[in-house]
Amino acid sequence: MKIERIRGGVSLRRTIESGTEEQRRAVLDIIAAVRARGDEALKEYTERFDGVRLDSLKVTEAELERAHAAMDAEMLQIIREAAANIRTYHERQKRSSWWMTNEDGTILGQKVTPLDAVGLYVPGGTAAYPSSVLMNVIPAQVAGVKRIVITSPPNQDGALPAGVLAAAYELGVTEIYKVGGAQAVAALAYGTETIRPVDKIFGPGNIYVALAKREVFGHVAIDMIAGPSEIVVLADETAHADEIAADLLSQAEHDVRASAILVTPSMKLALAVASEVERQLETLPRRGIAQAALEHYGAIYVTETLEEAVDVVNELAPEHLEVMTAEPLALLGKLRHAGAMFFGRFSSEPVGDYFAGPNHVLPTNGTARFSSGLGVDEFVKKSSVIVYSDAALAQHGGKIAAFARLEGLEAHARAVEMRLKKGE
Ligand SMILES: NC(=O)c1ccc[n+]([C@@H]2O[C@H](COP(=O)([O-])OP(=O)(O)OC[C@H]3O[C@@H](n4cnc5c(N)ncnc54)[C@H](O)[C@@H]3O)[C@@H](O)[C@H]2O)c1
Ligand SMILES: N[C@H](CO)Cc1c[nH]c[nH+]1
């Protein structure tokens, strides 16, 4: 890995993608075709891009049961325990509707309502992510969403990854479709003969999925445009180089565009981590992917002081931040921007990916400066509730009408004054 002495001036915003003109046009064509020709368009694109012609797009009950039954019993137990941890954590995020009453009889409040229907895109490709099924479905269930739909591209045998199906079945999700890419997003947004539309689309995917989510936004809601995984480790000379190297590789192996960065005031640690990464890469099954990621988006930044290192981390605003210093929690107050913060050497990033409980769907590309990870809030909406009393309107109606006239909106003013007159 490259070692660089720096004082700042760093950014993770290198992976923002808006796609090529050709990709944008392809996505618009796909969306238009799905809107015009429904299921038939889905089947054609599945044949073209995933190499399989399907008679039926929906995963059957038998397919789900088979995948679940085939799952190793011990593994199923681990999934259940992880799911319980994720549920417990997300239960704490649940908001209730609330009401306040004033002495004049006015009642004001906020009514929290779960979304009616959500669609979760589970990407195909080089890795299948049953853990992402848990991370998206559980907050939706905690929020009280009734209809949860999963779509994912089939392999050439026309099947979805068994782990994904088993995790979905374990959570009781049975509406699953074998459709991927922009066509899946279009189907979830606009509906087809088989797939009823949803209100909000969640989940990561490649450039076609990302562009399609951007395109349908407004007609439906979307969670975020998730980029490739990122990890930043903030460490001092007390940290263990082999553990840091392992954690950097844990995210680098996701994707050739993943990013893994160490920020440290210790040149000794920097050199040790660089050589550990090389050593550990030798036996890594996904070595090709991790190596490419580290070559383009990996770095070791050496600062003068730990304070400068903290500033650099805040500037990067990474998806995942690990803090491995002599007193990691002493830095909690100074660290401002990261999707998830892991403190101490036993809080290795994969602990959060799979098991601890917090969500692993997190902001990337430096967007942790202003956004948060997935949670129960993303699966509900809030309506303001206003119950104004006659006494309150009599007291404040004149002020409201005056405000309306300040904006030149006479009808607003009259609507209020009409009631004041009736009350006289
Ligand atoms: N941030 C996260 O939590 C997270 C988790 C998992 C995966 N990911 C990301 O998801 C992505 C998965 O990408 P993937 O491609 O393997 O799977 P994908 O499911 O996102 O995309 C596959 C689909 O892309 C479409 N497609 C392929 N080539 C096309 C073309 N030329 N024209 C139109 N459509 C085309 C096809 O419809 C195909 O079904 C990776 O970038 C990975 O990093 C992110
Ligand atoms: N680290 C990923 C989010 O960036 C999530 C994940 C799924 N499986 C393993 N990891």
Side-chain angles (χ1 to χ4, degrees):
M1 286 178 80
K2 296 178 287 271
I3 301 181
E4 218 181 306
R5 281 195 182 276
I6 59 156
R7 304 198 70 169
V10 288
S11 172
L12 272 171
R13 290 189 171 245
R14 81 273 175 266
T15 53
I16 283 190
E17 287 172 293
S18 48
T20 62
E21 188 51 41
E22 199 182 340
Q23 287 167 331
R24 285 194 292 273
R25 212 171 312 115
V27 165
L28 289 178
D29 287 348
I30 291 170
I31 293 173
V34 172
R35 291 186 77 172
R37 295 190 293 109
D39 282 354
E40 192 40 45
L42 295 183
K43 288 178 185 173
E44 277 173 26
Y45 287 123
T46 304
E47 189 167 11
R48 188 185 316 169
F49 297 126
D50 305 309
V52 58
R53 176 78 197 180
L54 297 174
D55 291 331
S56 166
L57 298 165
K58 190 159 191 266
V59 171
T60 63
E61 191 72 21
E63 281 175 286
L64 272 168
E65 280 168 6
R66 235 187 351 261
H68 191 255
M71 171 79 67
D72 174 70
E74 214 172 307
M75 193 60 235
L76 215 46
Q77 211 37 53
I78 293 170
I79 290 178
R80 282 185 191 137
E81 207 175 326
N85 293 345
I86 296 165
R87 200 173 293 281
T88 302
Y89 182 87
H90 287 82
E91 289 283 357
R92 299 287 291 260
Q93 299 177 349
K94 202 171 169 180
R95 284 179 204 251
S96 305
S97 302
W98 57 267
W99 318 102
M100 54 187 260
T101 53
N102 293 342
E103 277 181 13
D104 59 14
T106 297
I107 302 171
L108 302 174
Q110 201 170 49
K111 181 178 187 298
V112 180
T113 312
L115 299 182
D116 285 344
V118 300
L120 161 59
Y121 185 84
V122 177
T126 61
Y129 292 109
S131 60
S132 297
V133 172
L134 305 189
M135 294 291 178
N136 281 271
V137 168
I138 292 171
Q141 291 178 331
V142 169
V145 174
K146 292 270 180 318
R147 182 170 165 245
I148 300 172
V149 181
I150 291 177
T151 67
S152 189
N155 63 25
Q156 293 193 347
D157 299 330
L160 295 190
V164 166
L165 293 184
Y169 186 83
E170 188 60 35
L171 297 176
V173 176
T174 54
E175 189 177 349
I176 305 173
Y177 300 100
K178 301 171 188 178
V179 190
Q183 57 276 20
V185 175
L188 290 171
Y190 297 106
T192 67
E193 299 88 325
T194 302
I195 305 178
R196 278 187 296 132
V198 300
D199 297 307
K200 187 165 179 177
I201 300 173
F202 294 79
N206 64 15
I207 187 67
Y208 299 99
V209 174
L211 290 175
K213 278 173 76 177
R214 254 187 211 146
E215 199 54 43
V216 301
F217 174 66
H219 184 75
V220 292
I222 61 168
D223 55 346
M224 62 175 93
I225 305 289
S229 296
E230 299 160 357
I231 182 168
V232 170
V233 179
L234 169 64
D236 63 14
E237 70 290 346
T238 64
H240 298 241
D242 56 345
E243 293 170 4
I244 295 175
D247 292 358
L248 293 173
L249 289 171
S250 79
Q251 296 312 290
E253 78 169 347
H254 266 297
D255 192 311
V256 292
R257 297 168 310 143
S259 165
I261 293 173
L262 166 65
V263 187
T264 178
S266 165
M267 181 55 89
K268 189 172 165 215
L269 182 75
L271 291 166
V273 170
S275 98
E276 259 303 317
V277 165
E278 290 309 314
R279 195 185 66 75
Q280 293 184 23
L281 263 173
E282 277 168 27
T283 56
L284 201 65
R286 289 167 70 90
R287 174 187 175 160
I289 294 175
Q291 214 156 21
L294 292 177
E295 212 169 292
H296 294 110
Y297 305 116
I300 299 180
Y301 294 135
V302 180
T303 57
E304 281 296 316
T305 62
L306 187 59
E307 288 66 37
E308 270 180 28
V310 169
D311 292 343
V312 167
V313 167
N314 282 330
E315 212 176 323
L316 287 166
E319 180 189 24
H320 307 102
L321 168 65
E322 285 187 1
V323 186
M324 287 193 253
T325 54
E327 287 185 78
L329 278 177
L331 298 177
L332 178 56
K334 293 193 178 122
L335 291 165
R336 298 178 47 73
H337 308 302
M341 300 178 183
F342 299 73
F343 291 91
R345 57 182 281 240
F346 299 109
S347 312
S348 174
E349 196 277 348
V351 170
D353 278 341
Y354 296 106
F355 205 75
N359 211 288
H360 78 198
V361 180
L362 297 163
T364 56
N365 284 321
T367 60
R369 273 194 78 76
F370 48 78
S371 52
S372 323
L374 190 64
V376 174
D377 262 359
E378 277 65 52
F379 293 92
V380 301
K381 60 202 177 58
K382 295 148 214 152
S383 306
S384 318
V385 175
I386 299 165
V387 187
Y388 229 47
S389 64
D390 54 355
L393 196 68
Q395 189 183 351
H396 304 299
K399 297 173 226 169
I400 297 165
F403 216 143
R405 290 197 175 102
L406 174 68
E407 296 189 345
L409 297 177
E410 183 57 26
H412 285 60
R414 289 182 192 175
V416 172
E417 285 174 344
M418 173 180 291
R419 287 161 171 90
L420 293 180
K421 282 188 195 118
K422 282 186 184 164
E424 276 166 8

